[in-house]
Amino acid sequence: MFEKNTSEQTAVSIRHLSKSFDGVEVLRDVDLEVREGDVVTILGSSGSGKSTLLRCINWLEQPDRGSIHIGGQRIGVNDAGRPMPVRELAKVRARTGMVFQSFNLWPHLNVLHNITEAPIHVLGKSKAEAEAHARELLEKVGMSPKADAYPNTLSGGQKQRVAIARALAMQPEVMLFDEPTSALDPELVGEVLAVIKDLSAEGYTMIVVTHEMAFSRAVSDKVVFLDKGLIIEQADPETFFTNPSTERVRKFLEREES
Ligand SMILES: Nc1ncnc2c1ncn2[C@@H]1O[C@H](COP(=O)(O)OP(=O)(O)OP(=O)(O)O)[C@@H](O)[C@H]1O
Ligand SMILES: [Mg+2]
């Protein structure tokens, strides 16, 4: 385990990001800085634009305006202001790893092969190297005993822990989580949040969309609140949860507590 990174390097920088669907602006002039080693949680009501923001960061959605830099490199648009060639785009996208609500494991591959598939075929790792790394990652997420199991034999919490290991296997600089526990039975939420907490202690840079308030409070360096596509608050968790500056957030927190 390495020390939590306290450097001031910027991992993700988002400037003036806007995105519309069918004429409706779902992200409005979003500015966000994420430092290396930081955990940023994104909160907000359904439809506020949380997933769209994450999906813009790895170019699953293309923003209409604004810029996103990951590790200092702009995604999607090259220096000449043109759309990036596919290969260059793939390289920048690989700086991020995404974990979805719905796991998306490959059903025909066992746990180990779910994790080694992309490192072998995309990163060009040898089978032995990819498997050794996969086993380390399975250890990290507490899934070593299930290396040979197939996804349909796993609980939701176990599937999600494998999905996290699979994303980590690509050695991304930034992990993106879109409501990683919201498809889970309540008793399985804790095991997945514990893994994400461990990763934060190891210094991984993470952006996590979540509805888990206690988790957000415990793990975040910064909490961001989206309301109808606008960031209306960004604060350290203590300030956010005990002394929010907007009525909107106060109402949201009251509702979450009840
Ligand atoms: N591909 C799309 N085409 C059209 N509209 C979309 C698309 N993706 C998202 N939207 C709309 O954009 C808005 C923001 O959606 P988004 O999924 O980002 O919200 P969210 O905050 O993630 O919500 P939830 O908490 O329900 O996941 C919503 O009104 C949604 O209907
Ligand atoms: Mg969403």
Side-chain angles (χ1 to χ4, degrees), residues 201-235:
E202 287 190 38
Y204 283 93
T205 308
M206 301 192 279
I207 306 176
V208 188
V209 171
T210 184
H211 286 287
E212 298 290 334
M213 297 299 129
F215 167 77
S216 166
R217 189 169 181 168
V219 84
S220 302
D221 295 287
K222 177 153 77 181
V223 183
V224 168
F225 190 86
L226 265 179
D227 185 40
K228 301 193 189 85
L230 272 180
I231 293 186
I232 60 166
E233 288 209 33
Q234 292 198 44

Side-chain angles (χ1 to χ4, degrees), residues 64-124:
D64 301 327
R65 281 189 304 285
S67 65
I68 301 167
H69 288 77
I70 303 160
Q73 187 177 14
R74 183 156 178 196
I75 187 164
V77 177
N78 66 17
D79 292 341
R82 299 217 169 78
M84 271 183 167
V86 173
R87 217 181 259 182
E88 199 182 335
L89 179 60
K91 274 197 192 147
V92 195
R93 293 184 72 188
R95 288 170 172 253
T96 62
M98 182 107 160
V99 173
F100 301 89
Q101 184 179 331
S102 53
F103 329 125
N104 302 350
L105 297 177
W106 289 298
H108 61 291
L109 296 179
N110 71 16
V111 162
L112 191 74
H113 292 146
N114 258 280
I115 299 172
T116 58
E117 174 78 11
I120 291 171
H121 293 105
V122 181
L123 299 182

